[in-house]
Amino acid sequence: MSQFWDALRQAGPQSERPMDGRNAAFFMRRLQLLFTSSVPILAALETLERQEEDPYWSEALGLAVARLERGQPLSVALSSAPSPVITAQSAQILKLG
């Protein structure tokens, strides 16, 4: 698990840095675990935001939370620029349910 965080830190800051497939799968797994534990999706994302050590991903998750609070669908909230959390392909999978 620490390799995931180390790889993100080494990538350096970028204006748009969606997670690659492996990292997105890890993120989605953590989100799924919270969701299947009956944690509401907004609270789950807030939890992941608080636990995040990388400033880029913490900010990206914070923006996703704000988008959800404004009523955007989860797939849009997580994949919107300027700081997408997931790729467009992952967003399509979310959209399909």
Side-chain angles (χ1 to χ4, degrees):
M1 181 159 57
S2 67
Q3 289 176 333
F4 168 78
W5 302 118
D6 292 340
L8 287 178
R9 285 187 196 96
Q10 289 173 1
Q14 298 176 13
S15 60
E16 292 189 27
R17 194 171 80 179
M19 293 183 183
D20 64 28
R22 181 172 178 243
N23 295 335
F26 180 69
F27 167 78
M28 296 300 274
R29 177 69 178 147
R30 290 172 53 207
L31 187 60
Q32 178 206 11
L33 287 172
L34 289 168
F35 188 67
T36 57
S37 300
S38 300
V39 176
I41 196 73
L42 190 59
L45 286 173
E46 290 171 335
T47 299
L48 294 175
E49 176 190 4
R50 282 192 305 275
Q51 293 174 349
E52 183 55 60
E53 295 176 4
D54 184 290
Y56 175 86
W57 292 115
S58 179
E59 181 181 348
L61 288 168
L63 291 171
V65 166
R67 291 180 192 118
L68 279 175
E69 289 174 335
R70 288 193 307 263
Q72 291 185 349
L74 180 61
S75 60
V76 173
L78 291 176
S79 64
S80 295
S83 53
V85 175
I86 61 173
T87 62
Q89 182 180 15
S90 296
Q92 289 299 318
I93 293 169
L94 265 180
K95 196 183 273 189
L96 294 174

